[in-house]
Amino acid sequence: MFENIFEQFHRDGYVLIDNFLSSEETEELKNEINKVIDEMPPQTETAIFSTDDNEALKNQYLLDSADKVSFFYEKGAVGGDGELLVDPHLAFNKIGHTLHRDNQLFRKISFDERVKEVCFQLKMAEPVIVQSMYIFKNPKIGGEVLPHQDASYLYTEPLKTIGFWIALDDATLENGCLWFARGSHKSGVHRRFIRNPDPAADPPLMYTGPSPHYQKSSFTAVPVKKGSCILIHGQVVHSSESNKSDKQRNAYTFHVIEQKNTKYCSKNWCQAKDGVFMNVYRNV
């Protein structure tokens, strides 16, 4: 299953692994996230997640979510007074960022032998998971994710960030599959998303430059069957379009960095409160 992924990963910036999870496992994760929603604690605010620069910078709730399981709504699911316009189970953009640590089933998948084997094949000596997210792209309201690099948000020196993106539904051109600019990981990190150097400043987060422009013709669609995993190089530019169909496109994703001889940037928005991320090889 994992033969030749090292060469392809560094050539293209991403690798598709079919049948990474079984159909039964994908359904278990979807059922589990419904339980998480049903047991969701009351929130003081209806936090909306958006990839729009102006919205992201204002998001103190995002900054506070690095070390807990937090809930982010889709913009089109919330009215002007904060009221939900759709069923609660169809209202979210994502839930994150410690499912891999705090939920038994997501933890089991995140530290599965298949994940360990991928990290081994990618020649990682001390891989650690820094964040995890359940990503929703619900029918008709699932929003566009603009072209970006994961390393803008999870920066290391040297750059050694890898995303595991696992499709829990078929991801198609109609419901918002991923698009990649093949080979774009060789062009460096185009900008950074960091904590404001002044902790008392507003907004609490900032970009180090304007949003880059990417030619749409540079991108290739990567539709996949449910259970597939796409390995994403931290510097490869990727995106997804809005879900205009009547079919959901859920995914579970987590990000791994190499900890050996690598410095995780203290300016990154996501920080472990105790300073320790969970090691892939040492956890189950």
Side-chain angles (χ1 to χ4, degrees), residues 1 17-30 105 108-109 112 114 166-170 225-229:
M1 180 187 291
I17 303 175
D18 293 317
N19 302 312
F20 189 79
L21 296 187
S22 68
S23 179
E24 291 75 17
E25 287 173 315
T26 63
E27 292 305 310
E28 286 176 354
L29 290 177
K30 288 194 287 185
L105 183 58
K108 176 184 175 183
I109 294 296
D112 184 86
R114 288 163 288 189
I166 303 172
L168 303 181
D169 299 293
D170 292 348
K225 293 293 185 182
K226 74 174 184 177
S228 301
C229 177

Side-chain angles (χ1 to χ4, degrees), residues 53 190-191 207-213:
D53 283 6
H190 305 156
R191 67 170 177 168
Y207 281 104
T208 58
S211 177
H213 174 73

